[in-house]
Amino acid sequence: MTSYEAGQRVALVHTSDPHTLLRPGDTGTVRRHDQRHNIVEVTWDSGSTLSMCLDAGDRIAPATTPSPTGDPVAEATGWAAALQRMRSAGAEAGRTAAEWWAQDTIGARAGGDTRLAARRILAGVADGDPAALDSLPRFTSAGESVDIAGWELFADATGDTTSWFGLRIPQRDEAMAVYRDAYDTAATDRVTQLCHLAASPTGRDVSHLRPDRVRIGGVGVFAGDWARTTGPDGDDRIEVGFVGTLIDHWNGWAVFACTRGVAEAIVADQQRHRDQYRHRLREQGVPVDDLDRRVDAELADLSFDGDVIVADQRALSDDPDAIDRITPDGDGRYVVMGRSWCWEAVDPYACDRIVGDLPDTDQA
């Protein structure tokens, strides 16, 4: 329990008396401290002699006598340093608030499709949608006066429990504005980071692989129109995307090189599409002995022959010579149906699954 001496200068932080004209920041002089009942009798500069019942919700703090410059903070540690501490404290509080917010929205305690929820939040933030922005954690001092909230925040940030009451009103407003801006900015940034993780099909932030950022020689995620589906929001979804290095453009489409593992996945995905098409034809009553011909006429047949991909498109193109052999380059990379199929770089967040090793942000 803090002890106050007769003659000590104090400042009002909070009073539970609804009828007093005293306001937070008002100063006075201690007449006596009854430590048994924790009552401090104060002669306030306004002329009031209201006593403070510290165990009943009243709060006071030692007051700082303003320095000759009128700026005690600048004299002690520098105003700029105090603001920097407020900024750092606000940013840390904002990040913490975002972490708590995420648990109930896109984290372990959230129900439903958290990937979908994360995608919706990201889209709303990108569009500046007020409904999305209003749902994010924001700094507020609702329920308490700015002076009370300001004193506590300033004291926690700077370790100085007294200088707040020596600040001019514009300085208090500036300190609170710095804290509030840092809090809101950090909260939004952290929410965006967490949503990128939750929305990612890999559990990693893959925003650096967005299609508008992919340049020749850069890594991206590629797919074709045949992989597109419609999501629950009516947005485009992609069943699977393949990681590769963009090496060229052909008639406006992407040409990319990929590893053996990705090439095998492309071949397997093509076989999956052929199997699905064969199943649909069978359900439509197409005779069994005609299924292979119908499938070959619609979809290329890809297969591995050792290290070589054999692409059989004879029935598809009605050309008996339309068999291509795709060999790996000196680095063991394949250009699968480049300059033949309509590949394009796609948004990795639109993919339900991504095949291939993703680079770190500074390697994309």
Side-chain angles (χ1 to χ4, degrees):
M1 180 175 63
T2 302
S3 175
Y4 293 94
E5 303 294 335
Q8 182 177 358
R9 296 287 293 170
V10 294
L12 177 63
V13 176
H14 174 70
T15 178
S16 57
D17 187 343
H19 304 295
T20 182
L21 297 178
L22 292 174
R23 292 294 180 266
D26 286 351
T27 56
T29 302
V30 174
R31 296 175 56 194
R32 186 173 71 92
H33 185 183
D34 179 351
Q35 296 198 29
R36 179 181 178 184
H37 299 97
N38 207 12
I39 296 175
V40 180
E41 298 178 8
V42 180
T43 299
W44 297 97
D45 295 345
S46 63
S48 171
T49 57
L50 180 69
S51 297
M52 310 307 296
C53 301
L54 301 186
D55 288 338
D58 290 341
R59 281 185 285 172
I60 58 176
T64 298
T65 302
S67 68
T69 63
D71 190 349
V73 176
E75 181 177 325
T77 59
W79 183 235
L83 290 180
Q84 181 56 45
R85 293 190 182 99
M86 287 291 282
R87 185 175 293 108
S88 297
E92 180 62 26
R95 287 189 290 268
T96 299
E99 297 281 352
W100 282 102
W101 170 93
Q103 292 185 37
D104 295 317
T105 310
I106 56 173
R109 293 203 297 258
D113 188 341
T114 54
R115 284 188 61 192
L116 176 59
R119 292 200 303 267
R120 287 172 175 168
I121 293 166
L122 286 172
V125 171
D127 294 341
D129 181 5
L133 295 175
D134 289 346
S135 70
L136 305 185
R138 287 288 182 264
F139 173 78
T140 177
S141 56
E144 273 194 302
S145 73
V146 171
D147 275 325
I148 295 173
W151 172 74
E152 292 179 337
L153 293 174
F154 191 85
D156 288 343
T158 66
D160 187 340
T161 61
T162 62
S163 291
W164 175 261
F165 300 107
L167 297 178
R168 298 185 296 274
I169 295 301
Q171 288 179 304
R172 296 186 187 184
D173 290 342
E174 182 181 12
M176 293 298 291
V178 165
Y179 186 96
R180 182 181 297 107
D181 180 68
Y183 183 108
D184 290 348
T185 299
T188 300
D189 289 347
R190 185 57 179 151
V191 164
T192 301
Q193 292 171 352
L194 294 171
C195 284
H196 276 142
L197 296 177
S200 170
T202 67
R204 294 171 50 191
D205 184 347
V206 290
S207 57
H208 56 289
L209 298 177
R210 291 188 184 278
D212 58 343
R213 302 180 183 179
V214 180
R215 302 290 184 269
I216 298 294
V219 177
V221 178
F222 301 88
D225 282 341
W226 57 88
R228 293 189 180 275
T229 60
T230 301
D233 284 341
D235 55 337
D236 281 345
R237 301 296 303 162
I238 296 169
E239 290 181 303
V240 57
F242 303 99
V243 177
T245 300
L246 181 66
I247 62 173
D248 197 6
H249 289 101
W250 165 77
N251 290 338
W253 302 104
V255 180
F256 68 97
C258 64
T259 64
R260 168 70 185 249
V262 173
E264 289 176 347
I266 294 173
V267 170
D269 188 62
Q270 180 68 1
Q271 290 303 320
R272 180 176 64 86
H273 283 290
R274 285 171 57 87
D275 290 343
Q276 289 175 345
Y277 186 58
R278 178 180 286 104
H279 179 70
R280 290 197 299 271
L281 291 176
R282 186 182 298 112
E283 288 185 331
Q284 294 169 10
V286 174
V288 174
D289 57 3
D290 196 31
L291 288 176
D292 287 345
R293 183 190 66 80
R294 293 281 297 271
V295 171
D296 289 340
E298 184 68 24
L299 297 168
D301 186 10
L302 303 185
S303 61
F304 267 92
D305 180 12
D307 289 334
V308 178
I309 299 176
V310 178
D312 187 346
Q313 300 184 93
R314 290 175 296 179
L316 178 63
S317 60
D318 195 22
D319 179 354
D321 297 323
I323 297 182
D324 295 321
R325 296 179 65 83
I326 304 169
T327 58
D329 64 16
D331 295 323
R333 300 176 74 83
Y334 293 81
V335 179
V336 183
M337 306 310 287
R339 303 179 183 87
S340 177
W341 287 2
C342 298
W343 294 103
E344 60 183 330
V346 298
D347 185 349
Y349 288 102
C351 298
D352 294 327
R353 185 166 60 94
I354 292 177
V355 177
D357 295 328
L358 296 169
D360 293 331
T361 304
D362 57 356
Q363 298 176 333

